[in-house]
Amino acid sequence: MEEYTYYSEVRSPQSMEECLDLVVNSAGAGFTVGVIAGSPYHFFKSLCISPTHIATACNAVRLNAPRVGGKVAAWSALCKASKNALVSVRQKDDGWNRIFSRAIGTGLLSVSRRSLRASARFTMCGALFGTVVESGRTKNLSRRN
């Protein structure tokens, strides 16, 4: 059974600067996604509480969207850093690195705020999320070929 790769060759970061650039780019993209996803959520959540106060809903977006963006940016940066570390250690870029990097990122973020038992559960949820995303990517790649 052949292993699949997303690139024509295994592309691991060659230097520490390249790895840091990938982590920073991933954090920036994560912040953007978090702000874009958090803005309508907090807008409509505040609007449901107080339907006549649009200014309050806009204030809720201003206060909460950057916080959500920061959380997603931290998760994205941890996932990218752990993926680069796994690629460097294993010397191959496959789906397992992506699955385990999402589990590691989720686990590291939850350790600081929760007990070890709850953190283990969040780590398993991160691994499950990574598996679902990776299986979707695999199915899309097989349909293209």
Side-chain angles (χ1 to χ4, degrees):
M1 182 175 176
E2 288 184 23
E3 287 193 41
Y4 61 93
T5 57
Y6 295 122
Y7 310 105
S8 60
E9 59 188 54
V10 176
R11 187 181 165 274
S12 63
Q14 300 298 322
S15 65
M16 186 62 119
E17 292 83 21
E18 189 176 336
C19 180
L20 289 175
D21 285 344
L22 290 172
V23 170
V24 170
N25 287 340
S26 179
F31 183 81
T32 304
V33 167
V35 168
I36 290 171
S39 294
Y41 172 78
H42 287 291
F43 183 80
F44 289 117
K45 181 180 173 187
S46 178
L47 206 58
C48 287
I49 294 170
S50 175
T52 58
H53 296 96
I54 293 179
T56 306
C58 291
N59 192 31
V61 169
R62 185 181 61 84
L63 292 175
N64 294 319
R67 180 177 47 86
V68 174
K71 288 181 180 182
V72 176
W75 179 77
S76 181
L78 280 173
C79 288
K80 184 59 81 170
S82 60
K83 179 187 171 283
N84 289 339
L86 287 171
V87 167
S88 296
V89 169
R90 294 185 66 220
Q91 293 296 316
K92 61 181 170 178
D93 190 9
D94 58 357
W96 291 107
N97 291 342
R98 290 170 189 77
I99 292 170
F100 288 127
S101 70
R102 288 184 178 103
I104 291 168
T106 306
L108 286 175
L109 281 178
S110 65
V111 158
S112 64
R113 298 193 181 256
R114 294 172 181 87
S115 67
L116 287 177
R117 187 175 183 186
S119 179
R121 288 182 187 148
F122 274 95
T123 303
M124 295 305 289
C125 288
L128 179 66
F129 175 70
T131 304
V132 169
V133 169
E134 197 59 35
S135 66
R137 283 185 175 177
T138 304
K139 287 181 183 178
N140 285 338
L141 285 176
S142 66
R143 286 182 187 168
R144 290 180 190 168
N145 294 335

